[in-house]
Amino acid sequence: MRWMTHNTIKRLSLAAFAMTLVWSSGQGLASLQSPAGQTTTPPAGAASSAPVTTPGSVAQQGVVLDRVVAVVNGDVILESDVDEERRFEDIQPYRRTAGDRSRERTIERLIDRDLILQQAELEPEDAISSKALDDQLTMLRKDIPDCKEYHCESDEGWKKYLGDHGFTVEEFRERWRLRMELLRFIEVRFRNGIKISDSEIKDFYEKRMAPEYAKRNVPAPQLDTISKRIEEVLLQQQVGALLVDWLKSLRVQGSVKIMNPGEVAP
């Protein structure tokens, strides 16, 4: 599953998906084989674009191109999606810890993201403008530490950096557009209804921030100079808590299946 804007997310049936996973020339050569499985010579003049293979060849056994790692309400998440997501995370300016980047955690995040995308399809918003996307990408090129050695301020340097991480410029651009759409959906759904009171800000300042500054023997900033930042922290905490509870309910109401190695999708 390549991440796309929410109005073009694929809906693959597992039967159709199975056809894309394994290609076998055994069926393609069925008309050229005798009942005993021996390859026979095609009729004179018959065109054949495939080389003659023996029954034990890789082509006849089938070549697995990808595999299903999870199924979310009928949508499939592939092993290649896990690889792509981890490469995408490598490009983030503020990377996750090694534990958060494990294969299992990545699969869980992809499941959550798919659940959010499915809900976003039901509540479509206006598309992210090209200008808003360009503005964010311009800042991103300045914020990524590794970009300095690539000179990402130039288009060629940015292209080289993305290429070394397995993305084209357009692929990454669409991935970042989707990221913006997801964040906007979460903000519209949860953040707009949250109000942080002055007493909550003061309580956080006195019980959390001031003691931390005191431990470091550093004077704490005045409350009025830092209240907006405290409000943002409290907003993010509440949005995060609401989002976690919402995703749990979506999993209970829907159908989420994580596949074990070697397990066949139902």
Side-chain angles (χ1 to χ4, degrees):
M1 173 174 54
R2 291 283 180 179
W3 290 108
M4 298 177 251
T5 53
H6 55 69
N7 63 335
T8 56
I9 300 172
K10 69 182 180 191
R11 287 287 188 266
L12 290 178
S13 69
L14 294 180
F17 170 72
M19 297 298 292
T20 69
L21 285 186
V22 180
W23 173 82
S24 173
S25 66
Q27 292 181 345
L29 295 176
S31 61
L32 304 182
Q33 293 179 339
S34 66
Q38 299 298 318
T39 302
T40 61
T41 304
S48 176
S49 58
V52 176
T53 57
T54 62
S57 69
V58 173
Q60 284 185 313
Q61 293 174 355
V63 180
V64 177
L65 304 178
D66 211 337
R67 79 177 189 87
V68 179
V69 298
V71 184
V72 184
N73 296 325
D75 282 351
V76 294
I77 296 175
L78 310 180
E79 190 69 55
S80 58
D81 295 322
V82 178
D83 172 68
E84 182 178 315
E85 179 64 17
R86 296 175 82 174
R87 287 188 285 109
F88 184 69
E89 289 179 350
D90 281 340
I91 299 179
Q92 310 300 310
Y94 308 105
R95 297 175 183 174
R96 301 178 186 271
T97 63
D100 285 339
R101 293 189 66 257
S102 68
R103 179 178 179 276
E104 291 73 19
R105 292 284 186 87
T106 301
I107 291 173
E108 291 292 339
R109 283 194 295 276
L110 287 172
I111 290 172
D112 287 343
R113 193 168 301 177
D114 212 7
L115 288 169
I116 297 172
L117 283 170
Q118 290 169 5
Q119 293 300 308
E121 283 188 297
L122 304 177
E123 305 173 34
E125 297 282 343
D126 292 337
I128 298 292
S129 70
S130 295
K131 183 182 185 306
L133 177 60
D134 289 337
D135 288 346
Q136 280 215 9
L137 289 175
T138 297
M139 288 190 293
L140 182 66
R141 289 161 69 166
K142 296 177 181 178
D143 289 343
I144 298 174
D146 294 346
C147 254
K148 292 182 180 179
E149 61 181 277
Y150 282 85
H151 300 287
C152 288
E153 68 275 6
S154 70
D155 290 341
E156 282 302 313
W158 179 236
K159 180 179 179 181
K160 177 69 165 62
Y161 175 77
L162 293 179
D164 285 354
H165 286 79
F167 292 98
T168 67
V169 172
E170 284 306 312
E171 284 173 344
F172 187 81
R173 183 180 176 85
E174 286 308 306
R175 283 297 303 258
W176 201 263
R177 184 193 299 275
L178 176 62
R179 180 181 184 275
M180 293 175 66
E181 289 179 348
L182 286 170
L183 292 176
R184 181 180 64 181
F185 175 79
I186 292 170
E187 181 167 345
V188 169
R189 186 177 184 90
F190 298 108
R191 180 167 174 156
N192 289 348
I194 299 175
K195 300 296 182 183
I196 304 298
S197 66
D198 291 341
S199 62
E200 288 177 303
I201 294 173
K202 183 179 179 181
D203 190 62
F204 184 90
Y205 175 81
E206 293 177 347
K207 296 181 179 180
R208 299 282 299 277
M209 290 196 67
E212 284 297 321
Y213 278 97
K215 287 180 184 178
R216 302 175 187 177
N217 295 319
V218 177
Q222 295 296 314
L223 176 58
D224 59 351
T225 65
I226 203 170
S227 61
K228 288 297 182 184
R229 290 174 59 187
I230 294 175
E231 181 181 19
E232 182 64 27
V233 169
L234 294 175
L235 277 169
Q236 290 179 3
Q237 287 179 352
Q238 291 199 31
V239 168
L242 290 172
L243 179 60
V244 168
D245 289 342
W246 182 62
L247 287 170
K248 286 180 180 178
S249 70
L250 289 179
R251 289 191 182 220
V252 171
Q253 296 167 15
S255 173
V256 176
K257 170 70 174 176
I258 299 178
M259 312 300 295
N260 296 315
E263 185 178 4
V264 178

